[in-house]
Amino acid sequence: MKRNPSVNGEVDVLVYSKKWKGEELHVRQMRKGYEQIYNKHHIKYLRPVKDDNYSPFRATLFQVFNQGIPFPGWMKEKDILKLPEKLLYSQGCNWIQQFSFGPEKYAGPKVYGKLRKCLEVFRRQWMEISSCKDQSERQNMCKTIFSDEATENKLYEAVKFIMLYLVIEAYENMKLEQDIPSFYTYLFSRESSADPLSFMMNHLNSVGDTTGLEQIELFLLGYSLEVRIKVFRLSKVNTENFEILYPDSCKWDWHEICLVTEDDRHYNIPVTSK
């Protein structure tokens, strides 16, 4: 059975930018943005990524896997497979039964088994691919993973749950007046995500279905995976918001990956000159 890859092969940046035709201001801005990453940041190629509401997860995880970035230490220490039951039995978060798996919506009591399955796939795929030291073999493994929609969706739903777990942890620490990363302060200051339940119901549940990630949630994504995500926001060319880091501060040993976006919704993968 032929499967369509969700991450495509490399295309020349300047050729890709020619889709923006005309002389309207936003069109000229887009072309200028592409020219800038080509000339100043030595990004000569892009890998176009499937345009759906999992886009930031897909573009991020593809690079994490392709680069062989190690499985995060905190996920080993916590044993992520036990987190759903831990939240239910130790912390009384039975509202997690309302977690939505992208377009699948509400899962009810089956949610814990579904989450564990997603987390198993996520841990196995990451650990297998990061243990592979041969770059060409990793590329082939990525090609297989990112041509299998069912596997991909399990990866992305696992990441969503891990993000939720860290939000719950940060919220508890905040109530105890312990230090938390600064982006959480903004996240909890929004009326729609003032606590973990509202964050899940109003933001996270719709990700992968009707919405993607907002800017503040990219901080959480990078923090969850222990990678720093550098994003070139082409619509912000020639402003201080053209190049943003998520999170803006991190530990010295975190790896960095890079994304390019035209609209803060859909993300492509840049490739520097060879």
Side-chain angles (χ1 to χ4, degrees), residues 213-227:
L213 291 182
E214 297 180 29
Q215 294 292 296
I216 188 62
E217 290 146 12
L218 282 175
F219 286 95
L220 179 57
L221 176 62
Y223 188 77
S224 301
L225 303 179
E226 289 192 345
V227 294

Side-chain angles (χ1 to χ4, degrees), residues 144-157:
T144 299
I145 293 168
F146 293 91
S147 299
D148 182 342
E149 185 176 2
T151 296
E152 279 193 70
N153 289 357
K154 287 183 177 68
L155 294 175
Y156 308 144
E157 292 302 322

Side-chain angles (χ1 to χ4, degrees), residues 255-274:
H255 292 72
E256 183 173 286
I257 64 162
C258 188
L259 306 178
V260 173
T261 183
E262 296 177 346
D263 56 9
D264 293 335
R265 189 190 68 80
H266 174 239
Y267 296 81
N268 288 322
I269 298 169
V271 182
T272 54
S273 56
K274 301 173 180 176

